[in-house]
């Protein structure tokens, strides 16, 4: 299921994705589900529109071995002993964020913001 470069998405086929409701971020939800479907993962609604799943609920669902969830590398919730985090092989999911402002602006806070967006350490 996991190799030296991480978990291949197609190896998660047959597991239930414990995700987020589409209403929370429709474009990102559509992108994630398209990528998952493209790797043979059937998508069922994980959360009813307007509801979010607490991290504890997601971890409990993953703990039984029939589901998986997606989380960033430096996730702040502690993982149960029987749950392990692994990167996705080949980075198939990339969330892109854009920042734009007037070219003549001299606001340093915008520059710091853009630098922070590019910092993948979570800082």
């Amino acid at each position: 299921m996991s190799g030296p470069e991480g978990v291949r998405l197609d190896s998660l086929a047959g597991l239930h994705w414990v995700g987020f409701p589409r209403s929370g971020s429709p474009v990102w939800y559509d992108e994630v589900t398209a990528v998952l479907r493209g790797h043979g993962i059937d998508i069922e609604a994980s959360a009813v529109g307007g509801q979010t799943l607490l991290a504890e609920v997601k971890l409990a669902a993953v703990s039984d071995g029939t589901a998986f969830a997606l989380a960033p590398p430096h996730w702040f919730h502690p993982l149960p002993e029987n749950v392990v985090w692994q990167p996705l092989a080949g980075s198939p999911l990339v969330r892109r964020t854009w920042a734009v402002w007037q070219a003549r602006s001299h606001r340093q806070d915008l520059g710091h913001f853009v630098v922070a967006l590019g910092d993948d350490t979570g800082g």
Side-chain angles (χ1 to χ4, degrees):
M1 192 173 215
S2 178
E5 68 284 346
V7 175
R8 292 173 34 108
L9 269 181
D10 58 355
S11 71
L12 300 176
L15 296 176
H16 173 73
W17 174 52
V18 183
F20 55 93
R22 185 177 187 277
S23 61
S25 183
V27 174
W28 181 234
Y29 179 91
D30 292 347
E31 173 131 2
V32 169
T33 57
V35 169
L36 294 177
R37 284 186 182 111
H39 286 83
I41 298 169
D42 291 327
I43 304 300
E44 300 172 19
S46 346
V48 178
Q51 296 180 344
T52 58
L53 294 176
L54 299 173
E56 294 78 9
V57 174
K58 288 183 179 186
L59 291 172
V62 170
S63 292
D64 77 2
T66 62
F68 72 96
L70 301 171
H74 304 288
W75 200 41
F76 58 91
H77 289 283
L79 297 176
E81 288 184 22
N82 62 335
V83 173
V84 82
W85 181 91
Q86 291 287 318
L88 292 176
S91 302
L93 289 171
V94 177
R95 189 159 193 174
R96 292 168 183 84
T97 303
W98 292 267
V100 295
W101 61 89
Q102 291 182 339
R104 65 178 181 259
S105 174
H106 296 289
R107 292 185 53 177
Q108 292 183 358
D109 57 337
L110 293 172
H112 294 298
F113 175 69
V114 171
V115 169
L117 285 175
D119 181 9
D120 65 359
T121 63

